[in-house]
Amino acid sequence: MAKRTFHEGAGPSQRQLRVGELVRRALSDVLMRGDIHDPDLANTSVTVGEVRMSPDLKHATAFVMPLGGGDVQSVIKALARNKGELRRAVTKSMTLKFSPDLRFRPDVSFDQMDETRRLLDSEEVRRDLGGEED
């Protein structure tokens, strides 16, 4: 019989990653086509950066950002209001045993990339990477 143990630092399984990517693509397609009829989402392009799945694949956390960095909180509230409709649209394009419950969070990876670029462009880091000595 297979051992079913979960280690805290293990990270997501291949199945979680694969299903998360499928949900991300389906959610992006639904938002791009404008299938959701909400005035707050009508004129807003939303980028879905990543979707993380729970180990049982029943919960999906989507990290979203409005294109151009608009009001993130209003977009997240609009998505949360329409999560039932989004869930049906995403499930229709996939074949899963359970339809995952969608949760929306702001995507901060763009801010982290900007901070990393700023750090790499600093003079101390360029000096250390260039091999120059004082």
Side-chain angles (χ1 to χ4, degrees), residues 113-127:
M113 285 189 290
D114 289 342
E115 179 63 18
T116 302
R117 283 191 194 107
R118 188 191 65 74
L119 286 172
L120 289 174
D121 285 340
S122 70
E123 189 159 328
E124 295 87 17
V125 173
R126 281 192 283 150
R127 182 186 65 228

Side-chain angles (χ1 to χ4, degrees), residues 48-59:
V48 182
E50 179 184 4
V51 174
R52 293 183 190 162
M53 300 299 296
S54 64
D56 61 359
L57 304 178
K58 290 186 180 181
H59 302 284

Side-chain angles (χ1 to χ4, degrees), residues 8-112:
E8 282 208 24
S13 67
Q14 287 296 315
R15 183 170 172 85
Q16 285 174 276
L17 293 173
R18 188 175 65 243
V19 172
E21 181 61 19
L22 289 174
V23 171
R24 186 193 71 78
R25 287 183 186 173
L27 190 58
S28 294
D29 288 344
V30 168
L31 292 171
M32 183 179 63
R33 286 191 312 259
D35 291 348
I36 307 304
H37 304 291
D38 187 307
D40 293 335
L41 294 174
N43 298 325
T44 306
S45 295
V46 179
T47 302
V48 182
E50 179 184 4
V51 174
R52 293 183 190 162
M53 300 299 296
S54 64
D56 61 359
L57 304 178
K58 290 186 180 181
H59 302 284
T61 304
F63 293 90
V64 297
M65 180 65 73
L67 201 59
D71 188 15
V72 179
Q73 291 305 319
S74 67
V75 169
I76 289 178
K77 286 178 184 176
L79 290 169
R81 267 194 321 265
N82 296 296
K83 86 175 180 177
E85 193 175 345
L86 286 166
R87 184 178 182 179
R88 276 189 296 279
V90 166
T91 304
K92 194 163 84 172
S93 66
M94 299 175 57
T95 55
L96 290 175
K97 186 174 183 178
F98 298 104
S99 175
D101 181 40
L102 298 174
R103 300 172 183 168
F104 300 98
R105 302 285 183 265
D107 190 2
V108 295
S109 62
F110 297 110
D111 297 334
Q112 291 171 345

